[in-house]
Amino acid sequence: MFMKSEVLSASVEFIDRTLSHPLQLSSGLITEITEAQATVHVRIDSREAMGVGSIYLSDLWAWPDPTLSHAFRDEQMRALCRNIAENLPQWCQPAAHPLELGLRLHDRVCHGNEALPVLARALCMSPFDAAIHDATGHALHRSAFSFYNGDLALPAVDGYFKGGSACHAIRQCLNPQNELKVSLDAWWIVGAKDALPSALEDPIRRGGYRGFKIKLLAKSVDEDLGRTIAVFEAAKGLGAEPRLSLDSNEGNKDSGEVLEFLERLRAVRPDVFEALEYLEQPTGRDITVHCHDWRKVSELKPIFLDEGLTDLSLLPLAKEQGWSGLALKTCKGHSFTLVAAAWAHEQGIPVAMQDLTNPGYAAIHSYLIAAHLDTINGIELNSPQYTPNANQAWLPRRSDLFLITDGKHRLPLRSLIGLGSDL
């Protein structure tokens, strides 16, 4: 299969969103956020099409600097998005496979001399990568996940795979059309300061949620133990058999502290320990600086690399340090995510599909990736929880995705084109 996509133009618009209730991270409180919607115009041979991609510019997550205001960080990220839109046709020359274009863009933006941290830069480029794939799919009238059906060279990443073919590795990790997941388990976020049990009553009794991601502040092991047990008991008291994951947003000091937490949880509440399925990035995001041995932790529970996965070259180091798996996020780029997923599949490493409160287009995109992969968690999509108004344009026709009644997200995938912007 020969495919060369040429970017003709790009644009970006920003939508102010207010959270229905604050989201507490260990780095601070999110009350408002900017949605960046990118549109890209491509040409393949004589066929032209437009594509759309979207992401939240979550500055507190991607750029947690307490000395800078949200307004400053947000404007810097908007400015980078505008710069990408202006230069995208030039940066994507010459025409190439959309995955090559996405990786080229990731390299250009994330390895540049920008003042922004690498995760903030990745956020800014990610909707353009998605829009390139969406537009290419529309031009060819086919799914963006079918771009790997033939044997073609992808020089930017072929070297990461044993057989020397990224195309083959990506194809191997994607579920075939007749095995795509038309429903995925949903997860509800339990904020570090959410009142219990009232915070869980509606999602359990009306939404049917059984998966709960607990945000921990990582101030002390005792406090985190108490919070984890309290969430479990609140869910049980409301009739749920809870599945748990933990996320301290890098708040723990080292792997030893996490190991102590798990050993004590197993000793005092083996039922809660059994319900705990995995933990997300407990320590600092730069794994070349925050070097921890996770092997003992991984023997107890899976530990997933999230914020620390900012470059594909870090994958071997992550395996060496004993990380159990990868927490994938579309905000790092569609191309980057597919390559990381294929690498994990080849290595026999599990993946989870995580979120950045993805709304609308971004939620559809994230669902599609999870539906094509074997994720251990289903999918985390929490825009229905925190920014439901951002999904209003998709209702009622996408109620199956955004309005949960039985603990499942659903999306029909029989006639997928691009990355689903037409859904």
Side-chain angles (χ1 to χ4, degrees), residues 153-169:
L154 296 170
V157 285
D158 281 340
Y160 283 98
F161 299 97
K162 297 172 183 176
S165 173
C167 184
H168 174 78

Side-chain angles (χ1 to χ4, degrees), residues 124-352:
C124 294
M125 57 74 54
S126 66
F128 296 94
D129 187 1
I132 290 171
H133 283 80
D134 189 48
T136 302
H138 281 281
L140 299 174
H141 204 71
R142 58 194 287 189
S143 165
F145 295 92
S146 71
F147 295 168
Y148 311 92
N149 290 342
D151 294 318
L152 69 158
L154 296 170
V157 285
D158 281 340
Y160 283 98
F161 299 97
K162 297 172 183 176
S165 173
C167 184
H168 174 78
I170 293 172
R171 185 167 66 248
Q172 291 296 111
C173 86
L174 297 177
N175 293 322
Q177 181 68 29
N178 62 350
E179 295 181 16
L180 297 183
K181 299 179 178 67
V182 295
S183 70
L184 292 167
D185 290 342
W187 288 73
W188 186 266
I189 307 302
V190 186
K193 297 183 179 180
D194 287 354
L196 299 173
S198 58
L200 300 184
E201 186 167 355
D202 192 63
I204 290 175
R205 290 183 172 165
R206 294 183 59 186
Y209 280 84
R210 296 296 180 264
F212 301 97
K213 175 177 174 176
I214 305 173
K215 291 285 188 178
L216 298 176
L217 295 178
K219 302 300 183 185
S220 76
V221 172
D222 286 338
E223 182 180 294
D224 288 349
L225 282 170
R227 183 63 174 176
T228 303
I229 293 168
V231 171
F232 177 86
E233 291 182 338
K236 289 278 286 186
L238 291 166
E241 288 297 330
R243 305 169 60 192
L244 305 179
S245 70
L246 300 179
D247 185 9
S248 69
N249 287 105
E250 312 161 70
N252 293 100
K253 63 181 181 181
D254 56 32
S255 58
E257 185 175 69
V258 179
L259 182 63
E260 178 190 351
F261 169 89
L262 290 174
E263 289 177 337
R264 288 177 59 185
L265 180 63
R266 182 175 59 176
V268 300
R269 288 297 300 268
D271 55 340
V272 183
F273 180 84
E274 182 64 25
L276 176 58
E277 297 190 5
Y278 65 100
L279 300 85
E280 287 181 56
Q281 186 106 30
T283 53
R285 61 186 58 184
D286 188 344
I287 65 171
T288 66
V289 174
H290 302 279
C291 305
H292 303 291
D293 185 346
W294 292 104
R295 286 173 293 181
K296 289 184 178 179
V297 172
S298 292
E299 290 174 1
L300 296 179
K301 290 293 177 180
I303 189 90
F304 278 56
L305 184 63
D306 181 359
E307 291 91 348
L309 181 58
T310 56
D311 194 282
L312 295 171
S313 64
L314 294 171
L315 289 169
L317 177 61
K319 186 178 180 182
E320 179 183 322
Q321 291 180 355
W323 293 90
S324 311
L326 305 180
L328 302 178
K329 279 190 168 86
T330 57
C331 65
K332 298 177 187 179
H334 181 78
S335 303
F336 183 96
T337 299
L338 278 190
V339 174
W343 183 89
H345 183 266
E346 187 176 84
Q347 298 290 327
I349 292 174
V351 297

Side-chain angles (χ1 to χ4, degrees), residues 48-65:
E48 297 184 17
M50 308 291 286
V52 182
S54 171
I55 207 70
Y56 276 148
L57 302 181
S58 186
D59 62 283
L60 188 63
W61 176 79
W63 193 354
D65 186 339

